[in-house]
Amino acid sequence: MTTLSTAANAQPDTGAPTPGEAAEAPLRGMWRQGLIVFCENRLALVGLGLFVLLAGFCFLGPLFYHTDQVHTDLTQVHLAPGEQGHPLGTDGVGYDQLGRMMLGGQTSIVVGLAAGLLATALGTIWGAVAGFVGGWVDAAMMRVVDAMMSIPSLFLFMLLAAIVTPSVPMLILIIGAFAWLGPARLVRGEALTLRSREYVQAMRAMGGTGARAVRRHIVPNAIGTVIVNATFQVADAILYVAYLSFLGLGVPPPAANWGGMLSDGLADAYSGHWWLLYPPGIAIILIVLACNFIGDGLRDAFEVRLRRR
Amino acid sequence: MTASNELTRLGPAPDQSGTQPLLELRDLDTDIALRRGTVHALDGVDLQVMPGETLGVVGESGSGKTMTALSIMGLLPPGGRVTGGEIRFEGRDLRSLPADEVRRIRGVRMGMVFQDPLTSLNPTMRIGFQVAEPLRVHQGVGKAEARERAIEILRRVGMPRPERIVDNYPHELSGGMRQRVAIAMALVCSPRLLIADEPTTALDVTTQRQILELIDDLKDEFGMAVILVTHDLGVIAGRADRVAVMYAGRVVETAATGELFRSPRHRYTEALMEALPESAIRDDGAHARLYSIPGLPPDLSQPLTGCRFAPRCRYVTAECRTTEVTLSTGPHQHACLHPVPATAPAPLARTAPAAPSADAGGTPPAADDRTAPASAAEPVAASAAKAVAAEPTAAEPAVAPAAGSAVAEPAAAPILSVRGLVKNYPAGGGLWRRSAGQVSAVAGVSFEVRPGETFGLVGESGCGKSTIGRLVVGLETPTAGQIVLDGTDIATLRGRERRRMHRQVQLMFQDSYAAMNPRMRVDAILAEPLEIQQVGNAAARRARIATLLDQVGLSRRALERYPHEFSGGQLQRIGLARSLALQPRLIVGDEPVSALDVSIQAQVLNLMRDLQQELGLAYVFISHDLSVVDYMADRIGVMYLGKLVEVGPAREVVRAARHPYTQALIDAVPTVTPNAEAARSGIAIRGELPSALNPPTGCRFRTRCPFAQEICETEPPLTGGVHQVACHFPLRPESTASTAGSADGVPAVNAVPSAEAAR
């Protein structure tokens, strides 16, 4: 609730300076034009503001709001919001819920970003190689993707969790190892179509080489799709962290993350401890929404045809 | 409307004088709301369609012709809305009737055929089900009866084996067959009005002819009215009773077809006809310069005053820009303040003498309306016609000096020499799938192109003409044969040499937008060939780019823009500028004007000719459009299913074709001469193009050739001197002294019976 209202307040702050800046700057350059289009998308600005706000809350919040998130305090369990100086109450082992939201958010955002980027990088390379080289290499590489996709992820997560001890780097690796399949297919398709585009053929008819095709034509045209997809991957990875924690495969206490907190809160759902359930749930929804809005805005920003002069 | 009935040429003339119009549009306005602004697509359109009549609606892209059709059918795109006026169908205004009633009227009493038969059919539904769907929706017909009715209607649209076709899926049919299915769908409820929106634009000319004939026949059979929407004046001329010319969301002229084509009144109609390539080819075969309408159509999202054609008009006065012009009254209506005088000779006044000669006692198809009146003039010019491309000597040298230079030194070494070119593609196949065989795209093609000459390559889709273009510029490697460019076989070139080869020959694409990286500005696009070939330094490249822009007539401001900010004609200019950047000696144009409107096409064709003259370029001009090739080319090669069936000087190939396929192609091209008899005479080829996967042995055309004999199972060689043909029974011998001898039809008449006698 708090985050939502602050986000609404913050929106004019992030929105206002950018159009002003755009108006005085000369309308040149690929990036600046893209920025203008991005700023025209209101939802994208809301998303960006929301993301900045949530990240600020998680990473800067603890500097101003000090809590002990290491030692349990069984004298102060299940305090309602506002009681004994805990604005959001405490959980079942006496941790301050507001401080725990900050700590949990750090894990969620770090793992989400890192795993999302890892998956995008892995998938892009795999898909690009398959798409460019084509032929049997493509067929073989894509069958690997198909095979991996056919394994239920839940089963593999549980298997992996039984083998390795969950930690933040481990979570990133595990999620990254699953999430790259989507981008791989996407980028392969993109590479296949871009390779046969007429402007690539036109360049070849001028005597250009494959390296130039990749550098000047294929990468600039594929990068938009890849970046847009990366934002969705980040959102997905944050959800994956939540799933994993929900299944009890998250980071072990005293570390926390929003998914794990949600899972714990659900156990108390019938005890009336709503402050353990709603804040992590809403935070997950907001950050995923923010990532998706940013992705939409980036898609517009990379679309040259939407640019005006 | 009595005037239109007097001029109706088709046999069963609808006798509806005095009856009310079937459909009447009164002051119709349609707006389309887009992300940025509202486009006023139609502004006060008045049209009438009488029962049993064919109304041709013609206009360039953006003129509102399709929006008119869609407004009538209530199929406007998202954001589109009829904002004013009436759509009166059988006396009732569709806009004031309840929605249910309107839906029923549109579903049952009207039928529509769309441009692309592939996207207008559902790929997951069987043909029979789709055809009968309107019956089941509107008449509640049962499954078994629906199937029967589907078979019946498919039979009536000339579908072979309809009882088998009903169970097929759309992908199993060819384009022409799919369009027949779409027509059957439109007709299944026996509508009173059929709206055909560019029904043949996606089809080859020979198929187009079949479909247009079918619509004509069905119109009489069902006694319905037809609105034929098209950009092609030729299609209208041969088929419509009355024509409405649209420009920028308004009807600017309507008249009976014959009247309109004989003496257009509106200056736009006049200009449009003068911009047609066939109108620039004189009877003696010489080429006049095309009239090109300057500028672009207006932006319909802006408020406009006065005549909308005024900014592009030759006869514009101050009054035109300020006064709103309404359609005049009478049988020939026009909205022009300074119309063409009614008595003015039409730019295409060849109709009168041509009609009788075409009818005269089985005159062979070659005696088409162009050659007949020309016969007197031709022998004079023809005496010099032995040398290749000699005919332009009779023309003004200024127009075709390139060809003139070819005459001056006939021994000039060819810039391009293609010898026995073969290209096969593996069909299907993959990692674990067996290849299904080979597609024979090009099968042993040889021709030469001399410096400064234009070699036209004509054929229907799938004949391999584009493949030849791609092989010549080095985008593909031939399976066999040689491509000798300036004395060097390009297959032998490697590395640096091969890269330098690309300086000699450049490709020009049909769709320049697709051929330009949307993320690159025009300056980067034009600099790219120079960068690749490492020509000059940055400053030199900038200077070169500026020169190029001047050559193609674009302003320097274009440099900072992206491709999507240009119109089709401008993009084609940029594409041409890019092809010229390396100062090549040969440009391969793959359908370079096929995507353009007539007036813009004229601009680009003129530009290409001017640059050829200025720079001494040679062109390989690939097109499916015979009239464009006829206008551009010095020599023409006709392709059928991967083989060159006829090569010769342009004028001889077009006016005295020797191969039956060439003749069929010529006869299928709709001309702007409004003569229904001519539109139906001549060699009409039936059936479908055979698969290139398993082409017929011997002469590949024999499966569809009206003169085919047993001997045609052996392959005919390409024989002859200047005008070669690959046929066992050429329509006429190669003309020697008298090139135009065939115009009177005698040799051809002899040739045909001899072919029959051999049976």
Side-chain angles (χ1 to χ4, degrees), chain A residues 75-299:
Chain A
T75 59
Q76 295 200 325
V77 294
H78 292 317
L79 291 180
E83 281 178 36
Q84 296 183 29
H86 296 289
L88 261 183
T90 59
D91 67 2
V93 288
Y95 289 134
D96 177 77
Q97 180 72 354
L98 187 61
R100 200 140 189 85
M101 281 290 294
M102 295 172 180
L103 186 74
Q106 290 180 9
T107 316
S108 281
I109 291 177
V110 165
V111 174
L113 276 177
L117 296 181
L118 179 72
T120 306
L122 220 80
T124 302
I125 293 168
W126 190 275
V129 170
F132 292 140
V133 178
W136 67 269
V137 175
D138 173 37
M141 287 176 85
M142 291 327 282
R143 291 305 83 75
V144 171
V145 172
D146 293 346
M148 288 197 66
M149 275 197 161
S150 65
I151 304 171
S153 51
L154 187 70
F155 169 75
L156 263 163
F157 280 148
M158 294 176 82
L159 191 76
L160 277 173
I163 299 169
V164 300
T165 9
S167 63
V168 168
M170 222 26 148
L171 267 182
I172 294 172
L173 276 181
I174 292 175
I175 294 171
F178 280 95
W180 66 274
L181 301 171
R185 281 190 165 177
L186 185 87
V187 170
R188 180 228 176 211
E190 195 77 359
L192 273 183
T193 52
L194 286 174
R195 199 179 54 162
S196 58
R197 281 286 156 84
E198 278 193 358
Y199 49 80
V200 176
Q201 295 181 23
M203 188 224 68
R204 283 178 52 212
M206 296 167 202
T209 54
R212 188 184 171 91
V214 171
R215 191 159 41 87
R216 291 301 301 273
H217 298 284
I218 291 170
V219 169
N221 280 291
I223 198 107
T225 318
V226 170
I227 289 183
V228 170
N229 185 257
T231 62
F232 298 138
Q233 286 300 323
V234 170
D236 281 357
I238 290 172
L239 284 178
Y240 269 127
V241 182
Y243 291 152
L244 285 175
S245 313
F246 198 81
L247 293 169
L249 311 176
V251 281
N257 73 79
W258 287 341
M261 291 169 69
L262 186 67
S263 158
D264 293 344
L266 212 60
D268 288 331
Y270 299 107
S271 327
H273 302 144
W274 57 267
W275 61 91
L276 299 183
L277 192 57
Y278 290 117
I282 290 171
I284 290 173
I285 292 171
L286 285 181
I287 194 130
V288 170
L289 266 182
C291 287
N292 281 316
F293 286 162
I294 294 171
D296 275 340
L298 284 176
R299 175 161 37 210

Side-chain angles (χ1 to χ4, degrees), chain A residues 28-30 33 37 40 135-136 139-140 143 197-209 212 216-218 220-224 300-309, chain B residues 35-36 431-432 470 473-476 499 502-503 505-507 509-521 524-525 527-529 531-533 560-562 564-565 578 582:
Chain A
R28 290 282 173 91
M30 195 108 179
Q33 295 232 4
V37 177
E40 274 176 18
W136 67 269
R143 291 305 83 75
R197 281 286 156 84
E198 278 193 358
Y199 49 80
V200 176
Q201 295 181 23
M203 188 224 68
R204 283 178 52 212
M206 296 167 202
T209 54
R212 188 184 171 91
R216 291 301 301 273
H217 298 284
I218 291 170
N221 280 291
I223 198 107
D300 284 358
F302 278 100
E303 181 58 73
V304 186
R305 267 165 295 175
L306 289 177
R307 288 181 191 177
R308 261 189 306 193
R309 56 183 68 245
Chain B
R35 191 166 163 174
R36 281 167 185 162
L431 185 53
W432 285 294
R470 294 169 57 84
V473 298
L475 278 178
E476 310 258 356
R499 200 182 71 206
H502 288 287
R503 291 191 187 188
V505 50
Q506 280 293 308
L507 186 60
F509 289 83
Q510 171 174 1
D511 181 358
S512 276
Y513 182 69
M516 290 175 195
N517 186 339
R519 292 182 188 284
M520 278 163 75
R521 298 195 317 187
I525 288 170
E528 183 159 42
E531 283 171 15
I532 289 173
Q533 295 286 344
E560 290 176 14
R561 296 177 180 268
Y562 289 95
H564 71 270
E565 298 175 74
R578 182 173 65 177
L582 295 168

Side-chain angles (χ1 to χ4, degrees), chain B residues 673-725:
Chain B
T673 317
N675 187 323
E677 295 306 320
R680 282 172 173 267
S681 66
I683 295 181
I685 52 174
R686 298 283 153 197
E688 303 288 318
L689 192 71
S691 163
L693 198 61
N694 193 7
T697 52
C699 172
R700 290 188 170 186
F701 185 57
R702 72 185 162 89
T703 52
R704 302 168 79 190
C705 182
F707 311 121
Q709 306 287 326
E710 254 174 59
I711 189 176
C712 295
E713 284 170 35
T714 61
E715 189 173 337
L718 198 62
T719 53
V722 178
H723 185 173
Q724 300 174 310
V725 65

Side-chain angles (χ1 to χ4, degrees), chain B residues 288-340:
Chain B
R289 194 179 161 80
L290 278 182
Y291 175 67
S292 68
I293 307 175
L296 296 170
D299 179 0
L300 294 179
S301 60
Q302 305 298 323
L304 299 165
T305 52
C307 174
R308 297 183 168 193
F309 185 58
R312 305 174 73 191
C313 185
R314 284 173 285 183
Y315 304 94
V316 65
T317 60
E319 198 187 359
C320 294
R321 300 185 194 275
T322 51
T323 320
E324 286 294 324
V325 202
T326 49
L327 278 176
S328 61
T329 51
H332 189 153
Q333 307 176 334
H334 58 84
C336 188
L337 288 175
H338 310 288
V340 187

